[in-house]
């Protein structure tokens, strides 16, 4: 089919609209794309594992200059290394980062803070297509509370902060416009791999459906073990109106009257009741009890193909095929294989690492004091050590 015809069946991954009351461009139709995507990833065992591995490799062993990594960069006492770790987590999840900087009266950067990427929204561009401010709210879902009160999503609870522009004349003009340094809110560096001021999709967005399916498969496995009927035998006896559940060793005998028969079904579900004998009494004329063997339905087998294909697609989307092959036993588990896997994935994350290096270089170029005389802001990649641990864990 022609591309034009196919496009009619496809839709953008992120629908944006402008909300005049808040002066923001929505991040997704309901303005909650990053929150929804994060929840999908966290609910998927495979997706969550892949995101964590991606963040670890982007972070690597931190910046090569250890003294620079330990430098305290804000009043909270955060070091460069701690802020770098949070940046890498946002980069792995959302393909973007946001940082807040404060200036002194001389227009020099004196403080750097991480801002959760999911808390930021773009404002409306001006007539020249320029976005001048970033809107920040602690929780766009409107569920977070402070002092027992919900932080509503309204203009009064949103900080509108100037976008990053470290040119001294610009900073001094903004300080004067704010009424002095004590009223100045600083600037926000909001940047993504998708270009300037474009909402990005998450790294695993292409397999969002698979990650949601992965969550469903986990629920199936859980319920198959915890909620499935697993008695070995049902005994039908006559007259009395009760149900008795007895263990194979003769222990744990419980009687229920007729009103509790339906409620008693929960007593024979799940792994803890596997192999028990269930006695159901009925009013009938049989001379002796009748034993009926009961085979429970194993739902795991129904989803084996789906489980395998979903997991493979998730690992593939994150470029983590070597770990999938190791997990499935397609290749061996040796130091050489893992070392090759580390080298391979370091090449995958090199783009993100260079991106972060450029951001940090740009900020500390305008720092009020020299903190990295070597000007080396490169990140040390993870290396696999033959004793089974990475350099990062040593």
């Amino acid at each position: 089919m022609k591309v034009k015809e196919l496009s009619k069946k496809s839709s953008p991954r992120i629908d944006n609209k402008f909300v005049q009351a808040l002066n923001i461009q929505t991040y997704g139709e309901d303005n909650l794309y990053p929150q929804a995507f994060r929840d999908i990833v966290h609910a998927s065992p495979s997706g969550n594992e892949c995101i964590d591995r991606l963040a670890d490799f982007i972070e690597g062993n931190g910046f090569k200059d250890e003294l620079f990594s330990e430098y305290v960069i804000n009043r909270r006492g955060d070091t460069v290394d701690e802020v770098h770790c949070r940046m890498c987590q946002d980069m792995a999840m959302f393909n973007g980062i946001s940082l807040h900087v404060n200036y002194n009266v001389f227009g020099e950067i004196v403080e750097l803070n991480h801002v959760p990427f999911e808390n930021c929204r773009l404002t409306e561009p001006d007539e020249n297509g320029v976005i001048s401010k970033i809107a920040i709210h602690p929780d766009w879902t409107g569920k977070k509370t402070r002092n027992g009160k919900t932080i509503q999503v309204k203009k009064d609870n949103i900080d509108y902060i100037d976008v990053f522009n470290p040119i001294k004349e610009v900073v001094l003009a903004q300080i004067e416009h704010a009424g002095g340094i004590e009223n100045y809110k600083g600037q926000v560096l909001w940047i993504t791999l998708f270009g300037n001021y474009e909402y990005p999709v998450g790294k695993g967005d292409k397999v969002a459906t698979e990650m949601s399916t992965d969550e469903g498969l986990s629920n199936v496995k859980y319920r198959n073990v915890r909620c499935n009927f697993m008695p070995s035998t049902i005994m039908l006896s006559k007259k009395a109106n009760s149900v008795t559940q007895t263990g194979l060793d003769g222990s744990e005998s419980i009687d229920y009257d007729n009103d509790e028969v339906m409620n008693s079904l929960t007593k024979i579900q799940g792994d803890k009741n596997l192999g028990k004998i269930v006695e159901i009494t009925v009013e009938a004329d049989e001379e002796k009890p009748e034993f009926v063997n009961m085979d429970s339905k194993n739902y795991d087998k129904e989803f084996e193909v789906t489980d395998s294909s979903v997991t493979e697609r998730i690992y593939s989307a994150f470029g983590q095929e070597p770990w999938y092959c190791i997990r499935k036993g397609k290749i061996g588990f040796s130091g050489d294989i893992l070392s090759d896997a580390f080298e391979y994935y370091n090449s995958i994350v090199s783009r993100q690492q260079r991106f972060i290096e450029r951001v940090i270089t740009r900020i500390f170029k305008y720092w009020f004091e020299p903190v990295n005389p070597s000007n080396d802001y490169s990140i040390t990649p993870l290396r696999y050590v033959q004793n089974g641990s990475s350099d990062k864990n040593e």
Side-chain angles (χ1 to χ4, degrees):
M1 295 178 68
K2 295 181 180 179
V3 172
K4 182 178 180 180
E5 295 174 346
L6 292 173
S7 64
K8 296 178 181 178
K9 299 181 180 180
S10 303
S11 59
R13 299 300 293 180
I14 299 177
D15 292 321
N16 299 333
K17 60 183 180 180
F18 178 69
V19 180
Q20 187 173 5
L22 302 177
N23 188 29
I24 63 167
Q25 300 178 56
T26 61
Y27 199 163
E29 186 176 0
D30 60 356
N31 195 36
L32 295 176
Y33 170 85
Q35 285 77 11
F37 179 73
R38 176 204 58 204
D39 291 343
I40 290 173
V41 171
H42 287 171
S44 165
S46 298
N48 205 23
E49 179 182 349
C50 289
I51 282 284
D52 287 344
R53 183 178 290 115
L54 175 60
D56 287 342
F57 271 83
I58 294 175
E59 183 182 358
N61 278 320
F63 295 101
K64 287 184 178 179
D65 192 319
E66 294 184 6
L67 290 178
F68 172 66
S69 293
E70 296 170 358
Y71 181 77
V72 177
I73 53 175
N74 57 47
R75 68 194 71 181
R76 297 178 181 176
D78 294 332
T79 64
V80 172
D81 190 58
E82 290 169 335
V83 171
H84 175 233
C85 176
R86 296 167 198 157
M87 291 168 60
C88 295
Q89 291 170 352
D90 278 352
M91 178 59 67
M93 182 70 74
F94 302 116
N95 280 319
I97 55 177
S98 54
L99 299 168
H100 176 264
V101 296
N102 276 323
Y103 292 85
N104 59 21
V105 292
F106 304 107
E108 301 168 324
I109 298 177
V110 294
E111 190 173 32
L112 174 64
N113 288 279
H114 167 260
V115 180
F117 190 80
E118 64 190 68
N119 291 356
C120 299
R121 297 295 183 270
L122 301 175
T123 55
E124 186 181 23
D126 60 20
E127 61 275 5
N128 297 318
V130 177
I131 294 175
S132 60
K133 292 184 182 292
I134 302 296
I136 301 176
H137 189 279
D139 179 23
W140 291 97
T141 66
K143 297 178 181 179
K144 197 170 185 177
T145 61
R146 283 180 183 169
N147 298 322
K149 295 182 179 180
T150 301
I151 308 175
Q152 298 179 3
V153 181
K154 58 183 183 179
K155 210 166 186 177
D156 293 342
N157 294 330
I158 299 174
D159 286 322
Y160 297 90
I161 302 179
D162 294 315
V163 300
F164 184 73
N165 187 342
I167 297 175
K168 184 171 292 188
E169 292 77 13
V170 173
V171 175
L172 294 178
Q174 290 176 351
I175 293 174
E176 183 179 359
H177 184 267
I181 192 68
E182 64 277 4
N183 299 320
Y184 185 50
K185 294 182 178 181
Q187 296 176 345
V188 170
L189 174 59
W190 187 94
I191 190 167
T192 79
L193 289 176
F194 283 58
N196 291 331
Y197 305 113
E198 293 287 339
Y199 284 131
V201 297
K203 175 63 176 177
D205 181 84
K206 66 186 72 174
V207 287
T209 304
E210 281 77 5
M211 287 191 288
S212 182
T213 303
D214 191 38
E215 177 192 4
L217 291 170
S218 296
N219 291 336
V220 169
K221 294 175 183 177
Y222 169 81
R223 289 167 182 159
N224 189 42
V225 173
R226 289 293 190 180
C227 303
N228 201 356
F229 290 100
M230 299 181 182
S232 60
T233 305
I234 292 179
M235 181 178 70
L236 302 179
S237 59
K238 59 182 179 179
K239 292 188 179 178
N241 294 319
S242 66
V243 175
T244 303
Q245 179 179 281
T246 307
L248 293 176
D249 58 357
S251 62
E252 196 179 339
S253 177
I254 306 173
D255 293 332
Y256 306 92
D257 59 32
N258 194 46
D259 293 335
E260 296 177 334
V261 169
M262 294 305 298
N263 293 334
S264 69
L265 292 177
T266 60
K267 304 296 183 179
I268 58 174
Q269 287 180 282
D271 54 313
K272 293 183 179 179
N273 295 303
L274 177 64
K276 287 189 175 181
I277 298 175
V278 177
E279 178 187 0
I280 300 178
T281 60
V282 295
E283 293 188 11
D285 295 331
E286 290 83 353
E287 293 287 334
K288 59 183 180 180
E290 177 185 356
F291 288 88
V292 179
N293 289 327
M294 185 174 179
D295 294 327
S296 63
K297 180 74 172 178
N298 185 356
Y299 292 98
D300 282 349
K301 295 180 180 179
E302 302 291 335
F303 296 97
E304 283 183 355
V305 175
T306 303
D307 193 1
S308 179
S309 64
V310 162
T311 303
E312 183 177 7
R313 289 179 182 178
I314 293 173
Y315 273 75
S316 177
F318 288 95
Q320 297 180 13
E321 292 91 341
W323 279 273
Y324 176 78
C325 291
I326 292 172
R327 172 178 175 172
K328 299 296 290 185
K330 294 182 178 181
I331 57 178
F333 189 87
S334 67
D336 291 339
I337 290 175
L338 287 175
S339 180
D340 290 342
F342 269 63
E343 290 299 321
Y344 163 78
Y345 210 53
N346 280 325
S347 67
I348 295 293
V349 303
S350 61
R351 181 190 178 197
Q352 288 91 334
Q353 288 180 334
R354 293 195 307 272
F355 182 85
I356 291 174
E357 290 168 9
R358 291 194 297 270
V359 168
I360 293 296
T361 301
R362 186 178 175 189
I363 289 175
F364 281 91
K365 178 181 178 181
Y366 297 92
W367 200 259
F368 75 102
E369 64 179 3
V371 295
N372 190 353
S374 67
N375 285 324
D376 184 2
Y377 296 98
S378 58
I379 298 170
T380 304
L382 285 181
R383 295 279 184 252
Y384 179 76
V385 178
Q386 292 296 327
N387 62 9
S389 64
S390 68
D391 293 333
K392 183 175 181 176
N393 296 325
E394 291 188 340

